[in-house]
């Protein structure tokens, strides 16, 4: 996967250019090509795999929300973790996120599940794995994406401006060890899926905590209320 083949926002490409030429990324690219050649449906579409980076330039990042891997149903994943495009049903994990938003900051759940408005405000909506085979959650784990997103997190961490990292679930929480807590705030909780949301996600109050931290450090606040 050469950087010459990647359509990516220039600011991120400047930071990640060398990463795409690493052997692990070449192997990842070969794996993805072989899967497609075998007739397997891969989500999100190739043009949307790096949408989280496309939507939020590095200098704008104020909050990082880390998911696991993309939604594995048709027409769901579009490159932003937990987000689905307008017109698609709101998935169960996102419904739980909306519940927490309502109880924490009073945000009213919209009728859709598109989180682009957060990305536009500097919320990097990054999965730890950026692709998945249709109907098979976790199918692209262990093929190199984790190392790539480790690099993205390291770059965000290295920038001195204070940020908030929301790590939900065991996959996301593994990245906590790489984050400098002298500068940044880490908020950890269970994954918002129906299987685990009641084990600490619901009631975590991460959204208000994030805004308190950002305001304290002069970085403004995130308007968590999504437009209809």
């Amino acid at each position: 996967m050469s950087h010459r083949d990647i359509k990516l926002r220039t600011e991120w490409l400047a930071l990640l250019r060398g990463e795409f030429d690493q052997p692990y990324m070449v192997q990842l690219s070969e794996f993805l090509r072989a899967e497609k050649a075998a007739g397997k449906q891969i989500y999100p579409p190739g043009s949307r795999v790096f949408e989280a980076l496309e939507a939020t330039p590095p200098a704008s990042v104020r909050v990082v929300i880390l998911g696991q891997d993309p939604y594995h149903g048709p027409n769901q994943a579009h490159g932003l973790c937990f987000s689905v495009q307008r017109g698609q049903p709101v998935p169960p994990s996102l419904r739980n996120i909306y519940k927490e938003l309502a109880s924490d900051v009073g945000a009213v759940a919209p009728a859709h599940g598109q989180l682009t408005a957060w990305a536009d405000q500097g919320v990097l909506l990054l999965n730890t794995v950026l692709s998945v085979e249709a109907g098979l959650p976790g199918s692209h784990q262990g093929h190199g994406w984790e190392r790539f997103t480790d690099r993205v997190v390291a770059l965000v961490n290295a920038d001195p401006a204070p940020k908030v990292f929301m790590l939900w679930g065991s996959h996301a929480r593994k990245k906590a060890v790489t984050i400098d807590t002298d500068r940044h705030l880490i908020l950890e909780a269970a994954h918002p899926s129906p299987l685990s949301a009641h084990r600490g996600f619901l009631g975590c109050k991460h959204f208000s905590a994030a805004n308190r931290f950002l305001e304290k450090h002069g970085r403004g606040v995130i308007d968590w209320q999504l437009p209809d």
Side-chain angles (χ1 to χ4, degrees), residues 12-111:
W12 281 112
L13 192 56
L15 295 170
L16 292 164
R17 188 183 307 275
E19 208 67 19
F20 290 107
D21 297 321
Q22 293 289 323
Y24 83 92
M25 284 298 278
V26 174
Q27 291 169 6
L28 173 58
S29 180
E30 291 170 352
F31 164 74
L32 292 172
R33 276 199 297 268
E35 293 290 280
K36 290 174 183 174
K40 295 179 179 179
Q41 179 70 54
I42 307 299
Y43 298 130
S47 62
R48 290 291 185 89
V49 167
F50 297 106
E51 186 68 17
L53 302 180
E54 195 64 30
T56 309
S60 299
V61 176
R62 294 189 284 163
V63 176
V64 180
I65 296 179
L66 277 173
Q68 293 185 8
D69 55 359
Y71 293 122
H72 53 88
N75 303 313
Q76 289 185 301
H78 67 113
L80 305 180
C81 72
F82 297 109
S83 180
V84 293
Q85 296 188 83
R86 287 173 180 265
Q88 297 301 312
V90 177
S93 291
L94 185 52
R95 285 203 298 270
N96 283 331
I97 292 171
Y98 285 173
K99 284 181 188 176
E100 180 57 25
L101 277 164
S103 67
D104 184 13
V105 296
V108 178

Side-chain angles (χ1 to χ4, degrees), residues 66 68 167-174 188-192 196 201:
L66 277 173
Q68 293 185 8
L167 310 181
W168 300 337
S170 59
H171 292 272
R173 293 170 85 168
K174 287 176 183 174
E188 296 187 51
H191 194 274
S196 56
F201 176 78

Side-chain angles (χ1 to χ4, degrees), residues 142-223:
H143 289 280
W145 280 129
E146 294 91 342
R147 181 170 167 184
F148 178 79
T149 54
D150 278 351
R151 180 63 180 147
V152 173
V153 170
L155 288 166
V156 175
N157 173 68
D159 180 78
K163 300 170 193 68
V164 180
F165 290 81
M166 296 185 183
L167 310 181
W168 300 337
S170 59
H171 292 272
R173 293 170 85 168
K174 287 176 183 174
K175 298 204 189 287
V177 295
T178 66
I179 298 165
D180 180 0
T181 54
D182 288 336
R183 284 180 292 156
H184 310 304
L185 175 65
I186 298 177
L187 299 172
E188 296 187 51
H191 194 274
S193 79
L195 296 173
S196 56
H198 292 280
R199 296 203 299 267
F201 176 78
L202 294 173
C204 69
K205 300 194 179 301
H206 281 185
F207 302 101
S208 59
N211 274 351
R212 283 195 302 273
F213 178 85
L214 292 172
E215 192 166 36
K216 176 184 173 183
H217 289 87
R219 302 214 66 200
V221 297
I222 305 295
D223 180 3

